[in-house]
Amino acid sequence: MSNFNPSHPTKQLLAGYCAIILGGFGVHKFILGYAPEGFIMLVISVVGGSFTYGIALLIMVLVGLIEGMIYLNKPPEEFVNTYFVNKQGWF
């Protein structure tokens, strides 16, 4: 646990709540430092949503909701190991 930073539990809560509320736009990915994954979600939501009448946006919102629940249900140590040490970008 040498990589534990006191801001990690705060990022866990912030990323979890943002994933539930704004998950379709990938805001939670940017909070965790995963910019490429955040841009992928943003582009799929905006561009894909405009071509599919919002279906792609709905799918990204569901992905964000699932990721938000995962973030909030993990213990802080496991969250840090998964998303900051091992750099797991999706789920």
Side-chain angles (χ1 to χ4, degrees), residues 22-62:
L22 300 169
F25 300 108
V27 174
H28 58 290
K29 297 291 187 182
F30 291 108
I31 291 171
L32 294 176
Y34 296 115
E37 289 88 349
F39 282 121
I40 289 170
M41 288 186 76
L42 183 63
V43 168
I44 289 173
S45 295
V46 174
V47 177
S50 65
F51 288 118
T52 62
Y53 300 105
I55 295 173
L57 175 61
L58 180 64
I59 292 170
M60 289 293 106
V61 167
L62 289 174

Side-chain angles (χ1 to χ4, degrees), residues 59-70:
I59 292 170
M60 289 293 106
V61 167
L62 289 174
V63 168
L65 181 66
I66 292 168
E67 286 185 337
M69 290 188 292
I70 290 171

Side-chain angles (χ1 to χ4, degrees), residues 64-86:
L65 181 66
I66 292 168
E67 286 185 337
M69 290 188 292
I70 290 171
Y71 294 165
L72 293 175
N73 286 320
K74 282 188 183 277
E77 297 84 14
E78 185 180 350
F79 181 81
V80 169
N81 285 333
T82 304
Y83 298 106
F84 291 107
V85 176
N86 296 332

